[in-house]
Amino acid sequence: MRHSRERREQILIALAEGEADVDVLAQRFGVSPSTVRRDLQRLSKEKAVMRTYGGAILAPSAVEETLAEREVRNIEAKQAIARAAAAYIQDGETLILDGGSTVTALAQLLRERTLRVITNNMKVAWMLTDAPGISLILLGGTIRPISMTSYGPLAEEAMRTLTAARLFTSADGVVAERGLCEATLEQASLKRLMMRQAAETFILADSTKLGAASQSAWASFPERWQLITDRHAPVEAIAPFIDAGGKVTQA
């Protein structure tokens, strides 16, 4: 199952690079054309691609909201998720704080803690830069103004030299069978690397993001991960994540 998810993720990257032919994709990934067609059918059902004659193209992405727009949505749920996430953090730990409004809400709760924080989140860096107990590492790279985060080869090169006890991350959508979706391949690439460099990953996502596949770039779940969502998430929305091997906390 994990192998097929990883192959579908690589197919999305190939489509983004302009490769759309089933036979060429089959040769590239060492599988049969029928296997690629099944993968594309699955991705089409998840609205990640649009089928074409003989292949597929990436589906158009939803319009991405700015950080400021996201910060005023579902405030109560995000604050509850942030409080639940903070309870897992022990003083003296090294953390990775990714982008996102819920991760930013978590950072607001950490100013009095003693921690080492690695982040690509410009707003988190601004919040914590003068916190007396925080040792702060800001990942450099290209800045995305819409999300106030850094990404790209410079950010990834720095991230490869660092490890952490826990990563706290979010996404535009979280799907049990696929992982976390983002607006760009570069964001998803850095997120995958962050998950590899952390011993444990916490995904902070309010109930509106569960099952949502609004963007076309994906990062698969790591070995150890936990979803923290809000109390409004129904049982049927949470069950697939437990089946996929994650732990789920409702704040």
Side-chain angles (χ1 to χ4, degrees):
M1 176 65 75
R2 185 174 179 85
H3 180 71
S4 62
R5 287 203 306 268
E6 291 173 351
R7 186 179 61 249
R8 289 194 293 271
E9 183 176 303
Q10 291 301 312
I11 286 175
L12 288 174
I13 293 174
L15 293 176
E17 293 172 349
E19 187 55 70
D21 183 79
V22 166
D23 292 331
V24 175
L25 289 170
Q27 185 176 11
R28 175 169 174 170
F29 296 110
V31 296
S32 67
S34 61
T35 296
V36 172
R37 291 189 188 95
R38 286 194 296 270
D39 286 337
L40 293 176
Q41 185 64 28
R42 176 71 173 270
L43 291 170
S44 178
K45 287 182 179 179
E46 295 173 358
K47 303 188 185 305
V49 305
M50 296 175 60
R51 294 301 306 274
T52 64
Y53 180 76
I57 59 173
L58 290 178
S61 298
V63 176
E64 187 180 4
E65 290 185 322
T66 66
L67 178 61
E69 289 171 328
R70 283 180 276 137
E71 283 179 332
V72 297
R73 293 186 185 277
N74 305 319
I75 296 174
E76 182 181 344
K78 291 175 180 179
Q79 290 176 341
I81 292 168
R83 289 192 296 271
Y88 287 96
I89 298 170
Q90 300 178 26
D91 280 349
E93 287 186 330
T94 297
L95 311 177
I96 304 170
L97 300 185
D98 194 11
S101 56
T102 312
V103 177
T104 302
L106 170 61
Q108 292 178 321
L109 305 178
L110 303 181
R111 283 186 50 83
E112 306 303 320
R113 304 290 295 271
T114 301
L115 299 162
R116 186 186 194 206
V117 174
I118 303 161
T119 188
N120 66 325
N121 187 322
M122 301 291 288
K123 190 160 185 180
V124 164
W126 176 78
M127 285 179 176
L128 299 181
T129 190
D130 63 343
I134 302 292
S135 173
L136 184 66
I137 298 175
L138 177 61
L139 300 178
T142 303
I143 302 300
R144 297 188 76 244
I146 194 169
S147 61
M148 294 297 288
T149 56
S150 62
Y151 70 98
L154 293 177
E156 292 190 19
E157 184 63 26
M159 192 66 253
R160 288 189 186 96
T161 69
L162 300 163
T163 57
R166 309 176 201 280
L167 162 66
F168 293 90
T169 186
S170 187
D172 288 343
V174 187
V175 177
E177 298 82 7
R178 304 222 51 240
L180 293 77
C181 72
E182 290 289 358
T184 68
L185 292 171
E186 293 86 356
Q187 287 173 281
S189 177
L190 180 57
K191 196 177 296 288
R192 287 194 297 271
L193 179 56
M194 286 177 168
M195 289 192 274
R196 286 198 296 270
Q197 298 300 92
E200 189 172 16
T201 293
F202 289 80
I203 300 162
L204 313 184
D206 67 62
S207 54
T208 66
K209 294 184 177 181
L210 304 186
S214 58
Q215 305 292 354
S216 59
W218 291 85
S220 299
F221 296 122
E223 295 261 333
R224 294 182 61 191
W225 59 278
Q226 182 167 167
L227 170 67
I228 304 181
T229 189
D230 60 76
R231 61 186 175 85
H232 300 295
V235 172
E236 58 269 23
I238 292 174
F241 294 97
I242 298 173
D243 293 341
K247 298 178 181 178
V248 178
T249 298
Q250 284 188 270

